[in-house]
PDB file of all heavy atoms in Angstrom:
ATOM      1  N   SER S  34       2.769 -20.871  30.999  1.00 98.00           N
ATOM      2  CA  SER S  34       2.545 -21.413  32.348  1.00 98.00           C
ATOM      3  C   SER S  34       2.069 -20.350  33.339  1.00 98.00           C
ATOM      4  O   SER S  34       1.535 -20.691  34.389  1.00 98.00           O
ATOM      5  CB  SER S  34       3.820 -22.088  32.861  1.00 98.00           C
ATOM      6  OG  SER S  34       4.893 -21.177  32.816  1.00 98.00           O
ATOM      7  N   ASN S  35       2.274 -19.077  33.001  1.00 98.00           N
ATOM      8  CA  ASN S  35       1.850 -18.013  33.907  1.00 98.00           C
ATOM      9  C   ASN S  35       0.386 -17.626  33.604  1.00 98.00           C
ATOM     10  O   ASN S  35       0.104 -16.979  32.591  1.00 98.00           O
ATOM     11  CB  ASN S  35       2.794 -16.811  33.723  1.00 98.00           C
ATOM     12  CG  ASN S  35       2.488 -15.679  34.675  1.00 98.00           C
ATOM     13  OD1 ASN S  35       1.371 -15.546  35.176  1.00 98.00           O
ATOM     14  ND2 ASN S  35       3.485 -14.854  34.923  1.00 98.00           N
ATOM     15  N   GLN S  36      -0.514 -18.029  34.503  1.00 98.00           N
ATOM     16  CA  GLN S  36      -1.957 -17.817  34.266  1.00 98.00           C
ATOM     17  C   GLN S  36      -2.296 -16.338  34.110  1.00 98.00           C
ATOM     18  O   GLN S  36      -3.172 -15.973  33.331  1.00 98.00           O
ATOM     19  CB  GLN S  36      -2.758 -18.444  35.422  1.00 98.00           C
ATOM     20  CG  GLN S  36      -4.268 -18.366  35.274  1.00 98.00           C
ATOM     21  CD  GLN S  36      -4.808 -19.158  34.073  1.00 98.00           C
ATOM     22  OE1 GLN S  36      -4.488 -20.327  33.891  1.00 98.00           O
ATOM     23  NE2 GLN S  36      -5.621 -18.521  33.228  1.00 98.00           N
ATOM     24  N   LYS S  37      -1.552 -15.471  34.832  1.00 98.00           N
ATOM     25  CA  LYS S  37      -1.845 -14.024  34.746  1.00 98.00           C
ATOM     26  C   LYS S  37      -1.628 -13.526  33.311  1.00 98.00           C
ATOM     27  O   LYS S  37      -2.388 -12.701  32.811  1.00 98.00           O
ATOM     28  CB  LYS S  37      -0.920 -13.240  35.690  1.00 98.00           C
ATOM     29  CG  LYS S  37      -1.403 -13.260  37.108  1.00 98.00           C
ATOM     30  CD  LYS S  37      -0.584 -12.266  37.948  1.00 98.00           C
ATOM     31  CE  LYS S  37      -0.824 -12.563  39.408  1.00 98.00           C
ATOM     32  NZ  LYS S  37       0.340 -12.325  40.241  1.00 98.00           N
ATOM     33  N   ILE S  38      -0.579 -14.024  32.680  1.00 98.00           N
ATOM     34  CA  ILE S  38      -0.301 -13.622  31.291  1.00 98.00           C
ATOM     35  C   ILE S  38      -1.409 -14.132  30.379  1.00 98.00           C
ATOM     36  O   ILE S  38      -1.909 -13.416  29.502  1.00 98.00           O
ATOM     37  CB  ILE S  38       1.087 -14.150  30.833  1.00 98.00           C
ATOM     38  CG1 ILE S  38       2.191 -13.444  31.626  1.00 98.00           C
ATOM     39  CG2 ILE S  38       1.297 -13.976  29.325  1.00 98.00           C
ATOM     40  CD1 ILE S  38       3.608 -13.886  31.315  1.00 98.00           C
ATOM     41  N   VAL S  39      -1.829 -15.364  30.606  1.00 98.00           N
ATOM     42  CA  VAL S  39      -2.904 -15.945  29.784  1.00 98.00           C
ATOM     43  C   VAL S  39      -4.180 -15.109  29.942  1.00 98.00           C
ATOM     44  O   VAL S  39      -4.879 -14.825  28.959  1.00 98.00           O
ATOM     45  CB  VAL S  39      -3.159 -17.428  30.174  1.00 98.00           C
ATOM     46  CG1 VAL S  39      -4.361 -17.986  29.424  1.00 98.00           C
ATOM     47  CG2 VAL S  39      -1.923 -18.267  29.882  1.00 98.00           C
ATOM     48  N   ASP S  40      -4.448 -14.681  31.174  1.00 98.00           N
ATOM     49  CA  ASP S  40      -5.661 -13.883  31.414  1.00 98.00           C
ATOM     50  C   ASP S  40      -5.613 -12.572  30.630  1.00 98.00           C
ATOM     51  O   ASP S  40      -6.598 -12.162  30.026  1.00 98.00           O
ATOM     52  CB  ASP S  40      -5.826 -13.581  32.920  1.00 98.00           C
ATOM     53  CG  ASP S  40      -6.140 -14.844  33.706  1.00 98.00           C
ATOM     54  OD1 ASP S  40      -6.544 -15.848  33.075  1.00 98.00           O
ATOM     55  OD2 ASP S  40      -5.970 -14.840  34.947  1.00 98.00           O
ATOM     56  N   ILE S  41      -4.451 -11.925  30.646  1.00 98.00           N
ATOM     57  CA  ILE S  41      -4.313 -10.650  29.912  1.00 98.00           C
ATOM     58  C   ILE S  41      -4.510 -10.898  28.419  1.00 98.00           C
ATOM     59  O   ILE S  41      -5.263 -10.189  27.740  1.00 98.00           O
ATOM     60  CB  ILE S  41      -2.925 -10.011  30.178  1.00 98.00           C
ATOM     61  CG1 ILE S  41      -2.787  -9.631  31.647  1.00 98.00           C
ATOM     62  CG2 ILE S  41      -2.696  -8.795  29.277  1.00 98.00           C
ATOM     63  CD1 ILE S  41      -1.383  -9.250  32.084  1.00 98.00           C
ATOM     64  N   LEU S  42      -3.826 -11.922  27.914  1.00 98.00           N
ATOM     65  CA  LEU S  42      -3.908 -12.204  26.467  1.00 98.00           C
ATOM     66  C   LEU S  42      -5.320 -12.628  26.067  1.00 98.00           C
ATOM     67  O   LEU S  42      -5.788 -12.303  24.971  1.00 98.00           O
ATOM     68  CB  LEU S  42      -2.893 -13.292  26.079  1.00 98.00           C
ATOM     69  CG  LEU S  42      -1.410 -12.906  26.228  1.00 98.00           C
ATOM     70  CD1 LEU S  42      -0.511 -14.122  26.025  1.00 98.00           C
ATOM     71  CD2 LEU S  42      -1.042 -11.802  25.238  1.00 98.00           C
ATOM     72  N   SER S  43      -5.993 -13.344  26.961  1.00 98.00           N
ATOM     73  CA  SER S  43      -7.355 -13.805  26.648  1.00 98.00           C
ATOM     74  C   SER S  43      -8.327 -12.635  26.524  1.00 98.00           C
ATOM     75  O   SER S  43      -9.374 -12.750  25.892  1.00 98.00           O
ATOM     76  CB  SER S  43      -7.857 -14.779  27.721  1.00 98.00           C
ATOM     77  OG  SER S  43      -6.991 -15.879  27.763  1.00 98.00           O
ATOM     78  N   CYS S  44      -7.963 -11.495  27.150  1.00 97.00           N
ATOM     79  CA  CYS S  44      -8.797 -10.284  26.988  1.00 97.00           C
ATOM     80  C   CYS S  44      -8.390  -9.519  25.733  1.00 97.00           C
ATOM     81  O   CYS S  44      -8.831  -8.383  25.523  1.00 97.00           O
ATOM     82  CB  CYS S  44      -8.621  -9.346  28.177  1.00 97.00           C
ATOM     83  SG  CYS S  44      -9.154 -10.021  29.714  1.00 97.00           S
ATOM     84  N   GLY S  45      -7.489 -10.069  24.949  1.00 96.00           N
ATOM     85  CA  GLY S  45      -7.061  -9.407  23.711  1.00 96.00           C
ATOM     86  C   GLY S  45      -5.975  -8.383  23.939  1.00 96.00           C
ATOM     87  O   GLY S  45      -5.610  -7.638  23.034  1.00 96.00           O
ATOM     88  N   LYS S  46      -5.427  -8.328  25.182  1.00 97.00           N
ATOM     89  CA  LYS S  46      -4.406  -7.312  25.467  1.00 97.00           C
ATOM     90  C   LYS S  46      -3.005  -7.943  25.497  1.00 97.00           C
ATOM     91  O   LYS S  46      -2.872  -9.156  25.592  1.00 97.00           O
ATOM     92  CB  LYS S  46      -4.696  -6.670  26.824  1.00 97.00           C
ATOM     93  CG  LYS S  46      -5.996  -5.911  26.830  1.00 97.00           C
ATOM     94  CD  LYS S  46      -6.062  -5.024  28.064  1.00 97.00           C
ATOM     95  CE  LYS S  46      -7.375  -4.272  28.085  1.00 97.00           C
ATOM     96  NZ  LYS S  46      -8.107  -4.471  29.322  1.00 97.00           N
ATOM     97  N   SER S  47      -1.990  -7.056  25.461  1.00 97.00           N
ATOM     98  CA  SER S  47      -0.611  -7.540  25.498  1.00 97.00           C
ATOM     99  C   SER S  47      -0.011  -7.247  26.865  1.00 97.00           C
ATOM    100  O   SER S  47      -0.238  -6.181  27.422  1.00 97.00           O
ATOM    101  CB  SER S  47       0.216  -6.835  24.422  1.00 97.00           C
ATOM    102  OG  SER S  47       1.583  -7.154  24.587  1.00 97.00           O
ATOM    103  N   HIS S  48       0.770  -8.194  27.414  1.00 98.00           N
ATOM    104  CA  HIS S  48       1.465  -7.919  28.681  1.00 98.00           C
ATOM    105  C   HIS S  48       2.832  -7.305  28.404  1.00 98.00           C
ATOM    106  O   HIS S  48       3.562  -6.971  29.335  1.00 98.00           O
ATOM    107  CB  HIS S  48       1.615  -9.199  29.507  1.00 98.00           C
ATOM    108  CG  HIS S  48       2.471 -10.242  28.845  1.00 98.00           C
ATOM    109  ND1 HIS S  48       2.063 -10.929  27.732  1.00 98.00           N
ATOM    110  CD2 HIS S  48       3.710 -10.703  29.131  1.00 98.00           C
ATOM    111  CE1 HIS S  48       3.010 -11.772  27.373  1.00 98.00           C
ATOM    112  NE2 HIS S  48       4.024 -11.649  28.197  1.00 98.00           N
ATOM    113  N   ILE S  49       3.167  -7.154  27.127  1.00 96.00           N
ATOM    114  CA  ILE S  49       4.462  -6.561  26.754  1.00 96.00           C
ATOM    115  C   ILE S  49       4.194  -5.211  26.103  1.00 96.00           C
ATOM    116  O   ILE S  49       3.357  -5.110  25.205  1.00 96.00           O
ATOM    117  CB  ILE S  49       5.209  -7.498  25.777  1.00 96.00           C
ATOM    118  CG1 ILE S  49       5.662  -8.747  26.528  1.00 96.00           C
ATOM    119  CG2 ILE S  49       6.382  -6.801  25.111  1.00 96.00           C
ATOM    120  CD1 ILE S  49       6.174  -9.840  25.651  1.00 96.00           C
TER     121      ILE S  49
END
Side-chain angles (χ1 to χ4, degrees):
S34 56
N35 183 336
Q36 183 64 51
K37 279 190 195 146
I38 293 178
V39 174
D40 292 343
I41 296 169
L42 294 171
S43 300
C44 297
K46 296 194 181 125
S47 171
H48 64 290
I49 290 169

